[in-house]
Structures are given as C-alpha cells and as structure tokens.
Amino acid sequence: MSACCCSDQKYVPLSCRPSFPGSVTGDMCEDLCVHGLVEYKRCLYYENGKKVIEARWRGNPVILKSKLENFSSYEPLGILDYQDPVEELSPLDVVSYATLEVRNSLGLEDGAGNGSLARRWGKKLKPRERSYSRAELASLWSLLQQEEYTFLRVLQDLSSHVAKVLGSCGHFYAVEFLSAGHAWDQNIFSLEEVSVSGPQGPGRAGARGRWTSREMVHRIALSFLDMVWHFDNDFTHKLHLCDIKPENFAIRKDLTVVAIDVDMAFFEPKMRDILDQNCSSDEDCNFFDCSSRCNLDTRRCSPRRSNSNLQVICEKIFRPWFSPTLLGAKAGLPLQVELQRAVQDCSEAQEGSEDDRGGEAAPRRDVHQRLLNILSRLLQDGGASGEGGGTWETRSHVHTALNF
C-alpha cells in the first residue's frame, strides 16, 4: 500500500470531498491520488461530518463512506507519540492493538477469549518483514474508530447479509454499490434494476422467463427471514438491528437482502448496556427500534430487549408489502389471507420467556416458521397465488459462530 496526499482532488465538490491533510495509505490510494481511477459521481449523505459518496472505482460503481469529515478528527494511535513504530512496533503488536480496538468498538470486551478475533485480524494484517509505517497505522486507526467499518470488516467472510468492503484510503472506505430500498416504492426495492430469471418451461416463469414482481417480493421476504435467523442464531451473540427501514437495506441481483447501514446494529452485550437505563415508564426504554420494559420497582429498564428484529421487520416491511390494499383482488386468496394473519401476529408478538441461550422465545420461532412455510408455498403453488412460480429451496443454516 503506497502513501499519498489527496488534498488536491479538484474534481470532487468541497462539501463532499474526502479530506486527507497528510500522508495516508490504503489499497484505493494509488488509484485515487495517482491514476485518477476513482471518479466522484454525487454526494448521497452529508450531515454531522458523516459522508456517503457515490463514485466509480475502475469503472465499477462503489459507495465511499466516512463517519467524520476530516482525517484529523480521528484519535491517533497513542503509542505513536512515544516510539518510532518502524523500529519498535511489530506486526503482532498491530494485530493485538487492532483486536482490542475492535472488541471495544463492538462492545465485546467481556466474555470468551479473543483468540478467534485475533486470528481473523491476523489474516487481514499479515506479518511481514518490515514494520508498519506511521501512515499505515494512522489510516488503520481511523478506520477502526468507525463502528460500521469495524462491524462490516469483522463479518465480511461470515455473512452474505452485510455489505462487502472493497477497499479504503485513509479514513474513507468503499463498499459494494447495491440497489437500496425506498419507502415510497410499493415494492420497497426497484425490482426492474435486478435481473432474475425464473425456471424455464411451460407455466413455470413469468413473461420472457423472468419472475413477476410479486414472486420477487416473496423471495426477498424469504431472504429477510433468512437474515433474521442468521443474525439471531449464527453468531456467539445475537445481533440486534435498531434502525429498520427500507433505506437501510438493499438487494443483490440474486435477491439476497443486505444490511447496508449498520450504524445502529449491536451485538447482545452492547445492546444490554444501551437498554439498562433509569426509567419511569416503558417509553423511557425505547432505543429507536429496540425496546425493553421498565421495572417500576427498581426504576430501571430491563437489559433484555422485549421486541425482536423479526417483529419490527414484520411491522415496517412485511405489513406494507402484503396489505390487502396493495394486493387488490388477490388479497382474498387463501394463502394470501393466511400470510396477512401471520404478518399481523408477527407484528404484535409479545415478550415471552427467554430460552436457555438468551435467544428468541418459542412464539417468535413459531411465527418465523409460519411465515417461512407460507411464503414457500406461495412460490410452489402458482395456482394458489394467482401467479406462475418456481420452487424455493430453503437454505440450510451453517453456523459460523464468532467466539468473541
């Protein structure tokens, strides 16, 4: 990774320009600063220092992100003030410091040993003959102070339901460009932007061999269910999404649902710390889309979340999708009626007894299975849904637990 100074980018508007006041590194830097292969397109978000930029990197669309506007706004690695890392700080030291920062950022400082996390970061930061330079350490440290980057980087190889990090330069990092959701779109996602072919053969696919919009919605809904199950069960700690809205999700061309804005995603230990607050009523225990109950005797919120990812997704995503108004004449079909009832039950699911693992209570598991079964039947039974359809092969869940 070569160092560069990018303060002379004239082609990027000042209000959205990545600001690099000094020497920084990253696998995007040479293309950005020397070859001009990173092309600014437009600013998607700019508030309180956070920048989200649409760009093209070597002709491919990407999203550039940074939590703070200026490189100098990030806290430097303190050890750089006391020693020369070229001579003193070994690659193993860098892995240890990075691991500690990641654990603190994600709220995982307590619990099991950090062996697996250290090994994962060790693969990212391969030992080498020479030590890391100041520019490399400063750039790495600016990235590790961004919770979203840390979250995405840790889960990079463990989940298909989070955006992929493609590269970085200084405090900016690039993630894959995906078709994001919109509240104003009745299907939430712009389905014409994806190209998905259905099974070929008479009566098996829609016009021109493609799935119809309703079939794609059913498949995306199944991917939402897969994501919920994955986040609830496939890591050592449950992962909570506290800001669930269409704009925070996207779909890949194979209709996989992807979380693209995870600033408000927390593993269980950090979620409990957030919820464990003083209260006088249940309203005081709401943290965006994550809520708990107020114990009026102790005047403390329960540290355990009372709603769930699935419940909020049913309320904010599934109910608009499968409402009688949107379905029109098809709303009265037996499977559609069954689906509407299951979504309603899911939206109103109440807190139940926690299982031994601290996971979903039995009623929530049951409604998850009901939704899975109904959506699968809608895809399998074209006659009942009123649309041609193929089969959906339910994916088996491979547990990829992180032993934090």
Side-chain angles (χ1 to χ4, degrees):
M1 296 189 294
S2 60
C4 67
C5 179
C6 298
S7 59
D8 59 349
Q9 294 180 75
K10 302 263 195 297
Y11 61 91
V12 179
L14 180 62
S15 63
C16 219
R17 183 174 65 205
S19 176
F20 302 109
S23 185
V24 297
T25 64
D27 45 12
M28 291 185 69
C29 283
E30 190 169 341
D31 284 347
L32 176 66
C33 307
V34 179
H35 302 302
L37 295 177
V38 180
E39 179 187 1
Y40 167 85
K41 301 300 289 185
R42 59 179 175 140
C43 186
L44 300 176
Y45 183 87
Y46 179 47
E47 187 175 344
N48 298 324
K50 180 178 179 178
K51 291 183 179 180
V52 182
I53 302 170
E54 181 182 341
R56 295 188 75 83
W57 182 16
R58 298 193 176 190
N60 298 313
V62 297
I63 300 295
L64 291 175
K65 289 188 169 187
S66 179
K67 182 179 179 179
L68 300 176
E69 180 174 2
N70 298 314
F71 187 73
S72 58
S73 298
Y74 293 93
E75 291 291 330
L77 178 59
I79 197 170
L80 297 182
D81 296 332
Y82 304 104
Q83 65 184 68
D84 185 350
V86 174
E87 298 179 358
E88 303 293 340
L89 199 60
S90 72
L92 185 59
D93 291 331
V94 174
V95 173
S96 298
Y97 280 118
T99 299
L100 183 61
E101 184 69 14
V102 169
R103 286 167 58 81
N104 290 337
S105 174
L106 299 181
L108 297 167
E109 57 271 15
D110 55 349
N114 62 5
S116 65
L117 194 55
R119 285 193 299 273
R120 181 163 298 280
W121 278 95
K123 292 179 181 178
K124 307 290 184 188
L125 304 171
K126 296 178 181 178
R128 55 189 184 181
E129 293 182 1
R130 67 179 181 86
S131 299
Y132 290 89
S133 69
R134 284 181 174 270
E136 288 173 318
L137 291 174
S139 297
L140 172 62
W141 223 246
S142 70
L143 291 170
L144 292 183
Q145 291 174 59
Q146 302 181 57
E147 293 86 353
E148 183 174 66
Y149 171 84
T150 302
F151 176 91
L152 294 176
R153 210 73 174 104
V154 167
L155 295 187
Q156 199 75 158
D157 303 322
L158 300 176
S159 177
S160 63
H161 291 291
V162 296
K164 300 298 182 185
V165 177
L166 304 177
S168 66
C169 182
H171 60 306
F172 270 82
Y173 59 97
V175 297
E176 60 182 319
F177 183 92
L178 296 169
S179 178
H182 301 285
W184 45 261
D185 192 319
Q186 69 174 12
N187 291 320
I188 294 181
F189 302 105
S190 299
L191 300 180
E192 64 273 10
E193 295 182 11
V194 298
S195 177
V196 180
S197 297
Q200 302 302 310
R204 294 301 303 277
R208 301 181 218 169
R210 296 181 183 275
W211 299 113
T212 65
S213 294
R214 185 53 27 182
E215 287 166 333
M216 285 194 279
V217 165
H218 291 155
R219 288 176 174 271
I220 296 169
L222 281 165
S223 188
F224 266 113
L225 293 179
D226 184 78
M227 180 188 70
V228 167
W229 182 271
H230 176 51
F231 287 173
D232 281 351
N233 297 281
D234 286 351
F235 306 126
T236 303
H237 299 294
K238 182 184 288 188
L239 179 60
H240 297 274
L241 304 177
C242 293
D243 189 11
I244 293 176
K245 57 186 178 184
E247 294 82 359
N248 288 347
F249 298 96
I251 52 173
R252 294 197 179 97
K253 289 187 176 181
D254 63 357
L255 302 183
T256 297
V257 171
V258 179
I260 57 174
D261 189 331
V262 291
D263 282 336
M264 301 287 287
F266 308 101
F267 286 105
E268 182 73 21
K270 194 165 187 175
M271 185 79 265
R272 286 178 173 262
D273 287 342
I274 291 171
L275 293 175
D276 188 14
Q277 304 293 330
N278 294 326
C279 64
S280 58
S281 68
D282 286 345
E283 291 184 358
D284 297 330
C285 302
N286 295 332
F287 182 77
F288 295 88
D289 288 327
C290 296
S291 60
S292 70
R293 302 288 175 80
C294 180
N295 185 322
L296 295 179
D297 293 330
T298 62
R299 297 288 177 174
R300 295 287 291 181
C301 297
S302 169
R304 183 166 70 89
R305 186 180 174 187
S306 60
N307 63 353
S308 67
N309 292 336
L310 178 61
Q311 184 178 352
V312 182
I313 285 173
C314 282
E315 175 65 29
K316 292 191 170 184
I317 307 292
F318 287 1
R319 284 184 73 168
W321 261 350
F322 305 123
S323 67
T325 302
L326 186 60
L327 289 172
K330 294 176 181 177
L333 295 172
L335 276 180
Q336 295 290 358
V337 171
E338 192 175 344
L339 177 60
Q340 293 162 36
R341 288 173 179 167
V343 169
Q344 182 70 19
D345 291 344
C346 174
S347 302
E348 298 174 352
Q350 298 297 312
E351 180 184 17
S353 58
E354 210 173 35
D355 60 25
D356 292 339
R357 184 179 176 275
E360 246 183 340
R364 290 180 183 157
R365 289 196 299 270
D366 291 344
V367 75
H368 184 283
Q369 189 62 47
R370 278 175 63 195
L371 289 166
L372 180 64
N373 290 341
I374 296 168
L375 288 165
S376 298
R377 286 161 57 199
L378 280 167
L379 285 172
Q380 293 167 356
D381 190 348
S385 66
E387 301 174 349
T391 60
W392 171 270
E393 294 182 4
T394 304
R395 284 189 287 170
S396 60
H397 294 272
V398 179
H399 286 259
T400 52
L402 279 172
N403 296 311
F404 291 113

